[in-house]
Every structure is written in C-alpha cells, then in structure tokens.
Amino acid sequence: MIPSKPPSSASPAVLRMFRLLRKLSDDFTIWHRASRRDSPQFLLVWRERHAFLIQVAATSQELAETALQPSLFGEDDGLTPDSLGLGERQALAGFPFQRADAVPAVRRLVVFPHVDEATIDQVELLRSSETGVAFLGLHQTAEDRFVRRIEALAEAPLPQRELLALRQGFTPESVISGSPARRPLLERGEATPEEPLFLDFDQESLTKIDLELPPACDRAVQAAESRLVTGPAGCGKSLVLLHRALSAARLNRGARLLILTHNRPINAELRRRAVATAPEGSRIQGLTFFQWAARILKPPVGKIIADYETHAIISRIATGIPGLGKLSPRFLTDEIGYLRDLGIHTIQAYLELEREGRFTGLTADRRHVVWAVLGKYREILANDGLTDWHERALEFQDFATSQPEKLDKHDFVFIDEAQFFAKIWFTPVLASLAAGGQLFLAADPTQGFLKRRQSWLAAGIEVRGRATRLAVPYRSTRAILEFAVRWLTRRKPLHPAIAADDLDPPDAAEMLAVPVVGEAPRVVQTASAQDSLATVVKMVADLSRQSPWLAGSVLVLHTDSRATGTVIAMLRRHLGPAQVRDFGDKYDPAPSAAFCAVSNLKAATGLEAAVVFLLGIDWLLAKEGDPRLDADARAELAADHTHLIYMAATRAARQLVVLTHTTGVMDFLLAIGATRQKPVPRQVTSEAEHSIP
C-alpha cells in the first residue's frame, strides 16, 4: 500500500476500503491518491500485470436499495440502476491513462463498501446499457471473497509498456526526471521516454506517508514532528527528500516549505529540479544554511575568512603557546571548530564535555591550552575586523534563541546531507518550524566527516520510530561500488580505531541488487600535477566532441579547493564559458545543461553525474606522510581521506576516471579493482580508446 496509511481526511467509505486492501497478500500492489477529486482513488495491480482503477462510493445500503424500487416522485427524480454511482463512473471514464494504440486491459471498478453484494448484483442486472465499469458491494465481505472477485474480473495481463504508462498517469509525482546521472541513459537507449523511471516502492512510500498538516484548530497544540531517511550512497535519499517536498506542496496548498543544504552545489541542483516540477503557486525556498542566515541576520562585521585562513591564524598562534606538545595546528583548528559547533561557551563546559566521537584524548591541562588558543584566535578576529563561518553560525543560534518570533515560520523544513549540520545549526531550524509542522532529514547514518557523531536527540530532534533506511544503491554501477567498498576495506589498517564503515556501504546482498554491473573505474598516470590538469581538459574536450549526449552529465572533482579555479579556466578556454559550470560560484551564469561542471571534493556530497573525473588524490594522500603528525592525528587524517575518496567514487553513475602522477597511488588503485588507461596524447586522441560508455 502506497502510502501505507490513509490520510486523516479520508471518508468512512475510503477508510473501510483501505482496511480491506491492507489485508491483501503480496500478490497485490495498491496506490492510493487522495489529492485529486476528479480521478480514481486507487490503482490496484494484481500479480504485477492485471490492473484495476477503483473509485469508492459512499452510498449507504438504504440509498442503494431505493434504486431497485420506483420513485414515489417519478422515475426521473429518484435513484435508478443507471444513475447509481454515476459520479464515480464519470471520474473513472475521465482518467486518461493510455496512449491511443493501447490495449484496453484495465478494469474500472466502482466499489460500495457500505452496500452488500446482493443489492449491487441486482442493480447491475437492471442497468439499461453496458458502461464498461463493474460494481462491487463489500458490506460484510471478507478479503478472500474480494480476491476471488478480482481474479474473476481480471482482463488479460497488461503489457509492461502499458503498465508503466498507467502508473505514470496515476502517480506522475513518482516519475524520476532531471537527474544528471539519468539524462544520458535516455539518449543512449538504456531507457526511453516511453518507459519512465520510477521511485522504488520503499522510496515512493516514504515520499507520501504522513504529509498532511493537522487542521488549523489543532496546530497550536501539536508539536512539530521529525522523520529521518538514511542509507548507502546512491540509494535515493536526496531524491526522496525532493519528491516528498513536492508532494507536501501539492497536498497542502499555501504551505511554506524550506529546503536547506550545507553547500551551494547540492543546493543549486535541488533548486533546479524543484523549480522544474513544483506545483503552481507553491511556496518552496531552497537555500544553504548560511544563505538562510544571511537573509535574517545583519551583514557580518568584517570579512568572513575561509577555512585555510583560519588554519593559518591558528598555526601562528600555536607557535607562541606553551604546553601544546603534539597537538598540531590541524588538530587545534578542528577541535576549536568542534567546540563552536556544539555551542561550548565556557571552559567549565569544555572540561565536563565527554567529547563523544573524538579520537584523540585530552587531559584537563590540554583542554585549558586549547581554550587559550580559541580565546587568542577570537581576539585576533576581533582586532582585525574578521569573522568566520563558525562565528556566523553562533550568531544565528543566538538570534534564534533570543528572538525566535522574528523567524519566518515554515510548515515543512527539509534538510539534505543533514549529517553536516552542526548541533547549533538546529536551533534556528527548530525555531522556524510552525506548530504542528514537519522536519525531514536525509543523512548518512553517522555525522560523517565532521566527526561530531552526536545523536539526533542531543540536537533536540526525536526520530525514534520514524527513521527509515533505504537499502538499494541505484546511482553507481556494481563495478564502481565494489571499487569504493574495497577502498574502505584496504584503508582500514591506517585508522583501525576509527570506523571506516560509518558511511553505510552496501552489503553483499545489496550489491547484488544493483541493476547495472558496468565497467571498473579507470586510472590514468601522468607525469605531474600540471600534466594531470592538461590531461583531464583534453579528455573532457574529446568527450564533448565524441559524445555530445553527455551534456550536463560530466563532473570534474579536485581535492584542493584552491585548484578548482585553474581547472575551470582551462576547461572554459577549450569548451567555451557557457559549457563549464562552476558549482562553487553562486553567480555562475553557466546553465545546468553546460557540458561539464567542476567542484572541489568537500563540496561534492549529494552531487551525481554519469561520468566523474577525480584530480588531486596524490596531494590529498601525501598529507598523511607529514612528519609533524603524531599517530592519533595521522589516523584521523587518514580516516577523513578514506571517507572523502569513497564519497567521490560514489558520485559516478557510469564511469569514474582517477588521474594520478604517483606510482604508489597508481598501484594501490589498480590493486583494488581499477583498470589502467593509457595517457592521453597531447595532440591526437583515439576516439575508440577514450570514449566513455
């Protein structure tokens, strides 16, 4: 049953029908559609091929019996066998579910839950003409009797093509469209517009359950509710979030919806897809957390510095602070960010903090030293007229705590990649929820790269009993997923005490469920980092000429955020400015259908593309050899890199290409399942050799 529960506004007749249908065996799949009054309420598919469109009539037994008797006021004024269920028949007849050349193999039924079978059978016998619609009385009818009636009424099996067309007409909101990983499949014939791609049953059910807002009279006394969806990379968490938001807007006209993300690239993609399919008049906003903050807070005092600038300042402070020992600038930067993400305001609170999820232990003396570094860092920011993103988030938290009435209230708030939201970020989120509103989170199972690993309850969010794990990873091919999982497994000895499986990789059974086997990732060895840049530009340029159908489905990732500008400039010189999209620039004019997009790796969570090129893996992994790192810091850094590269690999739907100029990295990637690709000649490229399937 999709959804698995009826809407609160359902009539007694529909509720009775719902209860009966829920008792049926797994031979049946049933969709209920409550948002349209002029079309069938149920689509029932028996044994995956026999289809029924069902409309429920609220007619009582007494009223139905009058159709069998002449009216005291004249036949034209009373209910007759021909007029019984007329409105329901019209709703069924007006539903355009088939193409012109379709085989008419869909049975239409009007079901009378409050009327017995004998009365309905007599009404059908007295009809003056055949309508093509069957009547069913259900009063005191058990489910086994209903099943036998369905079997008797079933027409010939519906061809797969027609069944998909029927589903598309009945549940258009469940059709997947606009995915950059999906787009090239249409062009290559792996799927066709006549055979749409749907959410799977688990995904679709999650997009439609408990979407109705409580009545206005009850909202003031009802608390907001939260729901969480998790699962391996590519299982459709973001897709479910998007479709659920659109369904909520469709079902609750006038409701205010806010979709939040942690970075611009995934926000841009969600906004693009939401705008294309949002119902007319819907009030949906799509923002990053800091874009949302900027709309509410005053402009920041001074420049907001980047993470690498924060690290540079803390490195300078560390040189003049005694007692640091093996606490590296990198650790100090991360620990200070951790404290501010949790909203720790006093040294006493820090001393009492259990530091859940932190790998490196700290004595009380060491905590005093870290707190001194934080105080000095804030002093430098204040003196230089600077701030950073952590301070901006704290400012937003303070505003939401002290002036919650000044926040616009939203009926629905959706957060994608919620594992990247710091604890203090949820203060304004929860304060912005209207009474009786809903919060929906799509997240990896743990707090991921941020190492915050706090429970949702610690952030004020109760999801027990309302969390769902999606199991099947659809985005990437099996070959890419196997490579990514082997990467996790082989890197485990570098950080044995830190979980490498908290990204929830697919298990063996889930891996077998991946529909496309595909080709192994390719690795290209180049002479240097500069040569890797030139090579990837050449390969993307070749693709644009040889495979134009890949437009909008190519993604270039670089591990170093400062190098993405160089990649973008080089690609634009070869492809043209409008053909290269900069995911890091909110003012970037390149359209979503530009041939390729570029992003730094840390901002790529939630993105997807048919073809992904990964640059800078050598630069990233070389950091692990820094002699200034102690064992704990080295393990934490290695764990971060393990997660980042796993995430990068699972952005690719059909092909992953990794460029490296280091023999050790090359050998490691080959050992875990990549295949070697010959270096790309600077002048001539073989079309056969470098065409990406």
Side-chain angles (χ1 to χ4, degrees):
M1 289 288 295
I2 301 173
S4 58
K5 295 194 297 185
S8 59
S9 58
S11 67
V14 169
L15 288 174
R16 174 172 265 182
M17 183 68 182
F18 215 100
R19 286 194 293 269
L20 173 64
L21 294 175
R22 286 187 65 177
K23 295 177 182 178
L24 300 183
S25 73
D26 287 344
D27 282 346
F28 293 88
T29 307
I30 304 108
W31 289 266
H32 175 50
R33 167 162 138 161
S35 58
R36 293 282 300 277
R37 307 299 179 190
D38 58 346
S39 63
Q41 294 160 322
F42 293 94
L43 167 62
L44 181 149
V45 177
W46 174 52
R47 292 183 176 173
E48 300 182 355
R49 281 295 183 270
H50 302 275
F52 299 80
L53 287 167
I54 300 174
Q55 189 74 5
V56 179
T59 310
S60 66
Q61 176 71 28
E62 293 74 17
L63 186 59
E65 288 175 351
T66 66
L68 303 176
Q69 305 168 3
S71 172
L72 296 176
F73 302 101
E75 189 173 338
D76 291 341
D77 298 318
L79 194 62
T80 69
D82 286 332
S83 62
L84 184 68
L86 179 61
E88 289 77 14
R89 279 186 279 140
Q90 289 172 339
L92 288 168
F95 179 63
F97 64 89
Q98 290 174 315
R99 301 189 318 274
D101 60 344
V103 179
V106 180
R107 288 306 306 259
R108 293 179 170 88
L109 306 180
V110 175
V111 175
F112 297 82
H114 303 308
V115 183
D116 62 40
E117 286 187 86
T119 302
I120 292 302
D121 288 344
Q122 291 182 61
V123 168
E124 290 216 87
L125 286 173
L126 294 174
R127 281 194 208 171
S128 61
S129 61
E130 177 59 46
T131 64
V133 177
F135 282 6
L136 247 64
L138 288 185
H139 187 54
Q140 296 180 339
T141 298
E143 59 267 24
D144 57 344
R145 171 68 177 164
F146 176 77
V147 170
R148 289 196 295 272
R149 290 294 302 273
I150 288 293
E151 292 175 357
L153 288 167
E155 296 280 4
L158 196 65
Q160 176 71 9
R161 190 179 181 192
E162 305 308 327
L163 182 61
L164 293 177
L166 176 61
R167 279 197 62 192
Q168 186 174 18
F170 193 81
T171 60
E173 69 279 0
S174 298
V175 177
I176 299 173
S177 62
S179 165
R182 161 80 172 160
R183 196 178 300 124
L185 307 188
L186 298 174
E187 302 294 335
R188 289 298 298 269
E190 296 179 47
T192 66
E194 289 77 22
E195 296 183 359
L197 186 65
F198 292 90
L199 299 171
D200 72 20
F201 293 154
D202 290 335
Q203 293 170 339
E204 185 177 2
S205 184
L206 191 52
T207 67
K208 296 180 177 180
I209 189 171
D210 294 336
L211 275 181
E212 282 188 310
L213 292 171
C217 58
D218 296 336
R219 295 199 62 179
V221 297
Q222 291 198 16
E225 292 186 340
S226 303
R227 186 175 288 276
L228 170 69
V229 58
T230 67
C235 67
K237 299 184 291 291
S238 298
L239 196 63
V240 164
L241 179 144
L242 176 63
H243 281 251
R244 185 175 174 88
L246 295 173
S247 293
R250 198 173 290 113
L251 190 62
N252 302 277
R253 296 291 182 178
R256 300 191 64 167
L257 294 87
L258 176 63
I259 301 177
L260 291 174
T261 61
H262 76 291
N263 68 26
R264 286 197 294 265
I266 187 60
N267 177 63
E269 184 60 24
L270 281 173
R271 286 183 61 186
R272 179 187 68 80
R273 296 169 69 177
V275 167
T277 52
E280 186 176 353
S282 56
R283 303 167 71 187
I284 301 178
Q285 275 189 309
L287 301 167
T288 68
F289 175 81
F290 287 108
Q291 285 173 340
W292 182 40
R295 294 193 176 192
I296 295 167
L297 302 177
K298 294 178 181 178
V301 178
K303 172 192 171 186
I304 299 179
I305 61 176
D307 291 344
Y308 73 89
E309 295 174 290
T310 294
H311 182 267
I313 294 173
I314 290 177
S315 296
R316 292 199 304 271
I317 296 171
T319 60
I321 298 284
L324 286 176
K326 293 184 178 181
L327 300 184
S328 67
R330 177 188 177 276
F331 172 83
L332 291 169
T333 302
D334 191 65
E335 181 75 5
I336 285 171
Y338 168 74
L339 295 178
R340 292 184 293 165
D341 280 346
L342 294 182
I344 302 299
H345 293 291
T346 66
I347 181 60
Q348 188 59 37
Y350 186 25
L351 293 173
E352 296 171 359
L353 182 66
E354 293 184 5
R355 298 180 71 249
E356 184 180 359
R358 305 296 283 170
F359 182 62
T360 302
L362 288 179
T363 63
D365 289 344
R366 287 286 182 87
R367 296 193 192 199
H368 276 286
V369 172
V370 172
W371 194 257
V373 174
L374 173 57
K376 183 63 176 176
Y377 171 72
R378 280 179 161 158
E379 180 183 331
I380 290 173
L381 292 186
N383 292 339
D384 293 348
L386 303 173
T387 189
D388 66 15
W389 295 111
H390 292 287
E391 297 297 324
R392 189 69 166 159
L394 285 166
E395 183 184 354
F396 197 15
Q397 182 202 34
D398 291 343
F399 180 91
T401 302
S402 61
Q403 305 178 68
E405 71 283 354
K406 292 187 178 180
L407 286 171
D408 290 337
K409 302 301 178 183
H410 297 90
D411 301 295
F412 297 88
V413 176
F414 300 86
I415 302 179
D416 198 17
E417 302 289 344
Q419 74 273 10
F420 292 107
F421 271 49
K423 179 181 177 181
I424 63 170
W425 294 17
F426 286 106
T427 300
V429 167
L430 296 175
S432 73
L433 269 174
Q438 294 186 16
L439 172 64
F440 186 85
L441 308 168
D444 284 335
T446 70
Q447 291 289 343
F449 313 143
L450 292 182
K451 301 182 293 299
R452 303 303 184 247
R453 296 188 180 90
Q454 301 288 311
S455 69
W456 296 110
L457 189 60
I461 301 168
E462 175 59 84
V463 293
R464 285 178 296 187
R466 300 177 66 83
T468 302
R469 182 182 184 273
L470 299 175
V472 181
Y474 290 103
R475 178 197 299 133
S476 302
T477 63
R478 196 181 307 169
I480 291 174
L481 285 171
E482 288 172 345
F483 170 85
V485 172
R486 282 193 292 267
W487 166 268
L488 289 181
T489 304
R490 290 287 295 275
R491 294 266 302 175
K492 176 65 176 175
L494 297 176
H495 42 86
I498 305 175
D501 57 355
D502 60 1
L503 294 176
D504 198 16
D507 59 26
E510 292 165 351
M511 196 77 80
L512 289 175
V514 176
V516 181
V517 176
E519 294 185 5
R522 302 180 186 182
V523 57
V524 180
Q525 186 169 11
T526 62
S528 64
Q530 292 76 13
D531 193 47
S532 291
L533 293 180
T535 299
V536 81
V537 169
K538 183 76 167 104
M539 295 179 76
V540 174
D542 287 346
L543 271 183
S544 69
R545 290 191 298 272
Q546 299 159 9
S547 307
W549 45 266
L550 276 172
S553 305
V554 177
L555 177 63
V556 179
L557 301 176
H558 203 298
T559 61
D560 185 354
S561 60
R562 291 168 292 183
T564 56
T566 302
V567 177
I568 291 165
M570 292 175 67
L571 283 168
R572 284 178 172 170
R573 280 200 299 272
H574 285 76
L575 275 69
Q579 292 302 312
V580 183
R581 196 174 174 201
D582 179 4
F583 269 136
D585 182 2
K586 63 181 177 180
Y587 301 112
D588 179 35
S592 59
F595 185 78
C596 69
V598 179
S599 173
N600 78 77
L601 183 52
K602 287 188 177 180
T605 53
L607 297 180
E608 60 180 19
V611 182
V612 171
F613 294 90
L614 175 60
L615 292 160
I617 187 172
D618 314 271
W619 174 82
L620 191 75
L621 299 183
K623 292 182 175 183
E624 297 170 14
D626 188 338
R628 294 170 294 180
L629 297 175
D630 62 18
D632 289 346
R634 196 182 313 280
E636 283 205 80
L637 186 61
D640 286 351
H641 294 167
T642 297
H643 292 176
L644 278 170
I645 300 303
Y646 177 86
M647 182 272 291
T650 54
R651 300 309 94 199
R654 284 296 181 269
Q655 186 65 68
L656 172 67
V657 181
V658 184
L659 292 97
T660 175
H661 59 272
T662 305
T663 300
V665 173
M666 177 81 172
D667 292 342
F668 184 83
L669 298 179
L670 293 175
I672 61 173
T675 59
R676 185 191 302 268
Q677 179 170 319
K678 293 179 181 179
V680 181
R682 290 297 184 90
Q683 300 301 324
V684 180
T685 301
S686 163
E687 182 171 338
E689 220 173 65
H690 303 297
S691 178
I692 303 291

